Amino acid sequence: EVVLTQSPGTLSLSPGERATLSCRASQSVSSYLAWYQQKPGQAPRLLIYDASNRATGIPARFSGSGSGTDFTLTISSLEPEDFAVYYCQQRGNWLTFGGGTKVEMK
Amino acid sequence: QVQLVESGGGVVQPGRSLRLSCAASGFIFNNYGMHWVRQAPGKGLEWVGVISHDGTNKFYADSVKGRFTFSRDSSKNTLYLQMNSLRAEDTAVYYCAKEGPRNGYNYFDYWGQGTLVTVSS
């Protein structure tokens, strides 16, 4: 099973700041990685798939990069609605999720 | 628009069974694989498994293999999760999710609202 390790566990930032979230895989998953956003009491929302492709309706401030074992989700300038928990998920070897990164308001 | 509506959650005793349903609309149900994902209270996401677009292939996470069964009814555009021999560690919000953004892609582009299953005596 591919283990996805997300860091940091919590990111404390202010609106307008840049957020950089990391997801590291225990073995290569090629580019088969997605990012999701989840707000309290809501289902997750697909943001990025295949490492760098934005899903339908996702603002351009969200971008993804990486391949192999190291991946990054970047939010270029945080909006108030971006404070949430973010999960990565791989489909390169079975299906697994990372443990999540909480982006909280400083 | 795509809608997925789960139902069937509730409180159940350990060792008992429960069946969840997920009613789908707004897309061609027969064209897409459908997944179940669960989230224990205050925890992260766990993939439970997938049923292929035509119901012929099913894959289960090790944690539920042999206890959970997926099925789908194309005439009703509905997905089912039969859960047997339930354990306390199965307590979670259960989401159905559509594979996407294209068929054959094992990501989840639409999710239901989730239904809570609590296993407790």
Side-chain angles (χ1 to χ4, degrees):
Chain A
E1 175 183 303
V2 175
V3 176
L4 298 178
T5 301
Q6 291 189 240
S7 61
T10 302
L11 201 50
S12 298
L13 295 168
S14 300
E17 289 192 296
R18 183 184 189 89
T20 303
L21 288 66
S22 174
C23 177
R24 179 162 291 175
S26 59
Q27 63 190 79
S28 176
V29 297
S30 187
S31 294
Y32 299 135
L33 190 108
W35 291 93
Y36 299 84
Q37 176 194 67
Q38 187 179 34
K39 297 178 181 178
Q42 296 185 17
R45 177 174 70 143
L46 177 65
L47 300 174
I48 301 287
Y49 66 94
D50 283 351
S52 61
N53 296 289
R54 270 190 303 278
T56 302
I58 301 304
R61 65 180 181 273
F62 291 92
S63 63
S65 63
S67 66
T69 60
D70 289 296
F71 300 87
T72 301
L73 174 69
T74 301
I75 310 171
S76 59
S77 178
L78 281 164
E79 297 287 339
E81 62 267 28
D82 299 336
F83 292 92
V85 179
Y86 292 83
Y87 293 96
C88 56
Q89 174 244 326
Q90 65 82 22
R91 70 176 183 100
N93 185 325
W94 210 228
L95 290 172
T96 52
F97 288 94
T101 290
K102 182 179 182 180
V103 178
E104 66 175 23
M105 199 175 300
K106 185 188 270 186
Chain B
Q1 73 281 20
V2 173
Q3 275 201 307
L4 298 170
V5 179
E6 297 102 337
S7 60
V11 180
V12 61
Q13 292 178 328
R16 303 298 290 262
S17 299
L18 201 63
R19 189 178 84 156
L20 306 183
S21 301
C22 170
S25 60
F27 66 102
I28 302 173
F29 185 65
N30 292 348
N31 282 2
Y32 293 91
M34 295 294 295
H35 295 256
W36 290 95
V37 177
R38 67 184 181 182
Q39 187 169 35
K43 302 297 184 184
L45 301 168
E46 180 188 13
W47 179 71
V48 176
V50 59
I51 182 168
S52 61
H53 67 97
D54 58 1
T56 56
N57 293 302
K58 304 165 193 178
F59 298 95
Y60 299 89
D62 287 344
S63 56
V64 306
K65 199 175 297 181
R67 300 186 299 121
F68 288 13
T69 303
F70 309 138
S71 61
R72 59 192 297 163
D73 184 337
S74 60
S75 69
K76 297 180 179 179
N77 281 4
T78 300
L79 175 71
Y80 300 101
L81 171 55
Q82 177 68 43
M83 303 184 292
N84 298 331
S85 303
L86 282 161
R87 306 167 179 166
E89 54 265 36
D90 295 319
T91 294
V93 173
Y94 284 75
Y95 295 100
C96 61
K98 171 186 166 292
E99 73 171 0
R102 289 180 274 281
N103 52 11
Y105 274 50
N106 284 320
Y107 302 121
F108 320 111
D109 62 349
Y110 289 94
W111 299 63
Q113 84 285 358
T115 188
L116 176 62
V117 173
T118 303
V119 184
S120 173
S121 54

Coordinates of all heavy atoms in Angstrom, one line a residue, chain A residues 31-34 36 38 42-44 46 49-50 87 89 91 94-95 97, chain B residues 35 39 43-45 47 59-60 95 101-102 105-109 111-112:
Chain A
S31 N 2.2 10.5 -11.9 CA 1.5 11.8 -11.7 C 0.1 11.6 -11.3 O -0.8 12.5 -11.4 CB 1.5 12.6 -13.0 OG 2.8 13.0 -13.4
Y32 N -0.2 10.4 -10.8 CA -1.6 10.0 -10.4 C -2.0 10.5 -9.0 O -2.2 9.7 -8.1 CB -1.8 8.5 -10.6 CG -1.5 8.0 -12.0 CD1 -0.7 6.9 -12.2 CD2 -2.0 8.7 -13.1 CE1 -0.5 6.4 -13.5 CE2 -1.8 8.2 -14.4 CZ -1.1 7.1 -14.5 OH -0.8 6.6 -15.8
L33 N -2.0 11.8 -8.8 CA -2.3 12.3 -7.5 C -3.3 13.5 -7.6 O -3.3 14.3 -8.6 CB -1.0 12.9 -6.9 CG -1.2 13.3 -5.4 CD1 -0.5 12.3 -4.5 CD2 -0.9 14.7 -5.1
A34 N -4.2 13.5 -6.7 CA -5.2 14.5 -6.6 C -5.2 15.2 -5.3 O -4.7 14.7 -4.3 CB -6.6 13.9 -6.8
Y36 N -7.9 17.5 -2.6 CA -9.3 17.8 -2.2 C -9.3 18.8 -1.1 O -8.4 18.8 -0.3 CB -10.0 16.5 -1.7 CG -10.1 15.4 -2.8 CD1 -9.0 14.5 -2.9 CD2 -11.2 15.3 -3.6 CE1 -9.1 13.5 -3.9 CE2 -11.3 14.3 -4.5 CZ -10.2 13.4 -4.7 OH -10.3 12.4 -5.6
Q38 N -11.7 20.1 2.1 CA -12.9 19.8 2.9 C -13.1 20.8 3.9 O -12.2 21.1 4.7 CB -12.8 18.4 3.5 CG -14.1 17.9 4.2 CD -14.0 16.6 4.8 OE1 -13.0 16.1 5.3 NE2 -15.1 15.8 4.8
Q42 N -18.9 19.3 5.5 CA -19.2 19.2 4.1 C -18.4 18.0 3.5 O -17.4 17.6 4.1 CB -18.7 20.5 3.3 CG -19.6 21.7 3.7 CD -19.2 22.9 2.8 OE1 -18.5 22.8 1.8 NE2 -19.6 24.1 3.3
A43 N -18.8 17.6 2.3 CA -18.0 16.5 1.6 C -16.8 17.2 1.0 O -16.8 18.4 0.8 CB -18.9 15.9 0.5
P44 N -15.8 16.4 0.7 CA -14.6 16.9 0.1 C -15.0 17.4 -1.4 O -15.9 17.0 -1.9 CB -13.7 15.7 0.0 CG -14.1 14.8 1.1 CD -15.6 15.0 1.2
L46 N -13.1 18.1 -5.2 CA -11.9 17.9 -6.0 C -11.3 19.2 -6.5 O -12.0 20.0 -7.1 CB -12.2 17.0 -7.2 CG -11.1 16.7 -8.2 CD1 -10.0 15.9 -7.5 CD2 -11.6 15.9 -9.4
Y49 N -6.3 17.2 -10.2 CA -6.1 15.8 -10.5 C -4.9 15.6 -11.4 O -4.5 16.6 -12.1 CB -7.4 15.2 -11.1 CG -7.7 15.7 -12.5 CD1 -7.3 15.1 -13.6 CD2 -8.5 16.9 -12.6 CE1 -7.6 15.6 -14.9 CE2 -8.8 17.4 -13.9 CZ -8.4 16.7 -15.0 OH -8.7 17.3 -16.2
D50 N -4.4 14.4 -11.4 CA -3.2 14.1 -12.2 C -2.1 15.2 -11.9 O -1.4 15.7 -12.8 CB -3.5 14.0 -13.7 CG -4.1 12.6 -14.0 OD1 -4.2 11.8 -13.1 OD2 -4.6 12.5 -15.1
Y87 N -6.6 17.3 1.5 CA -6.2 15.9 1.4 C -5.6 15.7 0.1 O -6.1 16.1 -1.0 CB -7.3 15.0 1.6 CG -7.9 15.0 3.0 CD1 -9.1 15.7 3.3 CD2 -7.4 14.2 4.1 CE1 -9.6 15.8 4.6 CE2 -7.9 14.2 5.3 CZ -9.1 15.0 5.6 OH -9.6 15.0 6.8
Q89 N -4.6 12.4 -2.6 CA -5.1 11.0 -2.8 C -4.3 10.5 -4.1 O -4.2 11.2 -5.1 CB -6.6 11.0 -3.1 CG -7.1 9.7 -3.5 CD -7.7 9.7 -4.9 OE1 -8.3 10.7 -5.4 NE2 -7.6 8.5 -5.6
R91 N -3.8 7.4 -7.1 CA -4.5 6.3 -7.8 C -3.4 5.5 -8.6 O -3.8 4.7 -9.4 CB -5.6 6.8 -8.7 CG -5.1 7.6 -9.9 CD -6.2 7.9 -10.9 NE -5.8 8.6 -12.1 CZ -5.7 8.0 -13.3 NH1 -6.0 6.7 -13.4 NH2 -5.3 8.7 -14.3
W94 N -3.3 1.1 -6.2 CA -4.5 1.0 -5.4 C -5.0 2.5 -5.1 O -4.7 3.4 -5.9 CB -4.2 0.3 -4.1 CG -5.3 -0.5 -3.4 CD1 -5.6 -0.5 -2.1 CD2 -6.2 -1.5 -4.1 NE1 -6.7 -1.4 -1.9 CE2 -7.1 -2.0 -3.1 CE3 -6.4 -1.9 -5.4 CZ2 -8.1 -2.9 -3.3 CZ3 -7.4 -2.8 -5.7 CH2 -8.2 -3.3 -4.6
L95 N -5.7 2.7 -4.0 CA -6.2 4.1 -3.8 C -6.0 4.4 -2.3 O -6.5 3.7 -1.4 CB -7.7 4.2 -4.1 CG -8.1 4.1 -5.6 CD1 -9.6 4.1 -5.7 CD2 -7.6 5.4 -6.3
F97 N -5.4 7.9 0.7 CA -5.4 9.3 1.0 C -4.3 9.6 2.0 O -3.9 8.8 2.8 CB -6.8 9.7 1.7 CG -8.0 9.7 0.8 CD1 -8.8 8.6 0.7 CD2 -8.3 10.8 0.1 CE1 -9.9 8.6 -0.1 CE2 -9.4 10.9 -0.7 CZ -10.2 9.8 -0.8
Chain B
H35 N -17.6 4.9 -6.1 CA -16.8 4.6 -5.0 C -17.5 4.9 -3.7 O -18.5 5.7 -3.6 CB -15.5 5.5 -5.0 CG -14.6 5.2 -6.1 ND1 -13.4 4.5 -6.0 CD2 -14.7 5.6 -7.4 CE1 -12.8 4.5 -7.2 NE2 -13.5 5.2 -8.0
Q39 N -15.3 8.4 6.6 CA -14.5 9.3 7.5 C -15.0 9.1 8.9 O -16.1 9.5 9.2 CB -14.7 10.7 7.0 CG -13.9 11.7 7.7 CD -13.9 13.1 7.0 OE1 -14.9 13.5 6.5 NE2 -12.8 13.8 7.0
K43 N -11.6 12.3 12.0 CA -10.4 11.7 11.3 C -10.4 12.0 9.8 O -11.2 12.8 9.3 CB -10.5 10.2 11.5 CG -10.5 9.8 13.0 CD -9.3 10.1 13.7 CE -9.3 9.6 15.1 NZ -8.1 10.0 15.9
G44 N -9.4 11.4 9.2 CA -9.2 11.6 7.7 C -10.1 10.7 6.9 O -11.0 10.0 7.4
L45 N -9.9 10.8 5.6 CA -10.7 10.0 4.6 C -10.1 8.6 4.4 O -8.8 8.5 4.4 CB -10.7 10.8 3.3 CG -11.3 12.2 3.3 CD1 -11.0 12.9 2.0 CD2 -12.8 12.1 3.6
W47 N -10.6 5.3 1.8 CA -11.3 4.7 0.7 C -11.8 3.3 1.1 O -11.1 2.5 1.6 CB -10.3 4.6 -0.5 CG -10.8 3.9 -1.7 CD1 -11.8 4.5 -2.6 CD2 -10.5 2.6 -2.3 NE1 -12.0 3.6 -3.6 CE2 -11.2 2.5 -3.4 CE3 -9.7 1.6 -1.8 CZ2 -11.1 1.3 -4.2 CZ3 -9.5 0.5 -2.6 CH2 -10.3 0.3 -3.8
F59 N -13.8 -3.8 -6.0 CA -12.6 -3.9 -5.2 C -12.9 -3.3 -3.9 O -13.5 -2.2 -3.8 CB -11.5 -3.2 -6.0 CG -11.2 -3.7 -7.3 CD1 -11.8 -3.2 -8.5 CD2 -10.3 -4.8 -7.4 CE1 -11.5 -3.8 -9.7 CE2 -10.0 -5.4 -8.7 CZ -10.6 -4.9 -9.8
Y60 N -12.3 -4.0 -2.9 CA -12.6 -3.6 -1.5 C -11.3 -3.3 -0.7 O -10.3 -4.0 -0.9 CB -13.4 -4.7 -0.8 CG -14.7 -5.0 -1.4 CD1 -14.8 -6.0 -2.4 CD2 -15.9 -4.4 -1.0 CE1 -16.0 -6.3 -2.9 CE2 -17.1 -4.7 -1.5 CZ -17.1 -5.7 -2.5 OH -18.4 -6.0 -3.1
Y95 N -19.5 8.2 2.4 CA -19.8 9.0 1.2 C -19.8 8.1 0.0 O -18.9 7.2 -0.1 CB -18.7 10.1 1.0 CG -18.6 11.1 2.0 CD1 -17.6 11.1 3.0 CD2 -19.4 12.3 2.0 CE1 -17.5 12.1 3.9 CE2 -19.3 13.3 2.9 CZ -18.3 13.2 3.9 OH -18.2 14.2 4.8
P101 N -12.2 12.9 -13.3 CA -13.2 13.7 -14.1 C -13.6 13.0 -15.3 O -14.5 13.5 -16.0 CB -12.5 15.0 -14.4 CG -11.0 14.6 -14.4 CD -10.9 13.5 -13.3
R102 N -13.0 11.9 -15.7 CA -13.4 11.1 -16.8 C -13.6 9.6 -16.4 O -13.1 9.2 -15.3 CB -12.4 11.2 -18.0 CG -12.4 12.5 -18.6 CD -11.3 12.6 -19.7 NE -10.0 12.9 -19.2 CZ -9.6 14.1 -18.9 NH1 -10.4 15.1 -19.0 NH2 -8.4 14.3 -18.5
Y105 N -11.0 7.1 -14.5 CA -10.1 7.9 -13.6 C -10.6 7.6 -12.2 O -11.7 8.0 -11.8 CB -10.2 9.4 -13.9 CG -9.3 9.9 -15.0 CD1 -9.3 9.3 -16.2 CD2 -8.5 11.0 -14.8 CE1 -8.4 9.7 -17.2 CE2 -7.7 11.5 -15.8 CZ -7.6 10.8 -17.0 OH -6.8 11.3 -18.0
N106 N -9.7 7.1 -11.4 CA -10.1 6.8 -10.0 C -9.8 8.0 -9.1 O -9.1 7.8 -8.1 CB -9.4 5.5 -9.5 CG -10.0 4.3 -10.1 OD1 -11.2 4.2 -10.2 ND2 -9.2 3.3 -10.5
Y107 N -10.4 9.1 -9.4 CA -10.5 10.2 -8.5 C -12.0 10.4 -8.3 O -12.8 9.7 -8.9 CB -9.9 11.5 -9.1 CG -8.5 11.4 -9.5 CD1 -8.1 11.7 -10.8 CD2 -7.5 11.1 -8.6 CE1 -6.8 11.6 -11.2 CE2 -6.2 11.1 -9.0 CZ -5.8 11.3 -10.3 OH -4.5 11.2 -10.7
F108 N -12.4 11.4 -7.4 CA -13.8 11.5 -7.0 C -14.2 13.0 -7.3 O -13.8 13.9 -6.6 CB -13.9 11.2 -5.6 CG -13.1 10.0 -5.1 CD1 -12.0 10.2 -4.3 CD2 -13.4 8.7 -5.6 CE1 -11.2 9.1 -3.9 CE2 -12.6 7.6 -5.2 CZ -11.5 7.8 -4.4
D109 N -14.9 13.1 -8.4 CA -15.3 14.5 -8.8 C -16.6 15.0 -8.2 O -16.9 16.2 -8.2 CB -15.2 14.7 -10.3 CG -16.1 13.9 -11.1 OD1 -16.8 13.0 -10.5 OD2 -16.2 14.1 -12.3
W111 N -19.4 14.1 -4.9 CA -19.6 13.4 -3.6 C -21.1 13.6 -3.2 O -21.7 14.7 -3.4 CB -18.7 13.9 -2.6 CG -17.2 13.8 -2.8 CD1 -16.5 14.4 -3.9 CD2 -16.3 13.0 -2.1 NE1 -15.2 14.0 -3.8 CE2 -15.0 13.2 -2.7 CE3 -16.4 12.2 -0.9 CZ2 -13.8 12.6 -2.2 CZ3 -15.2 11.6 -0.4 CH2 -14.0 11.8 -1.1
G112 N -21.6 12.6 -2.5 CA -22.8 12.8 -1.8 C -22.6 13.6 -0.5 O -21.5 14.0 -0.2

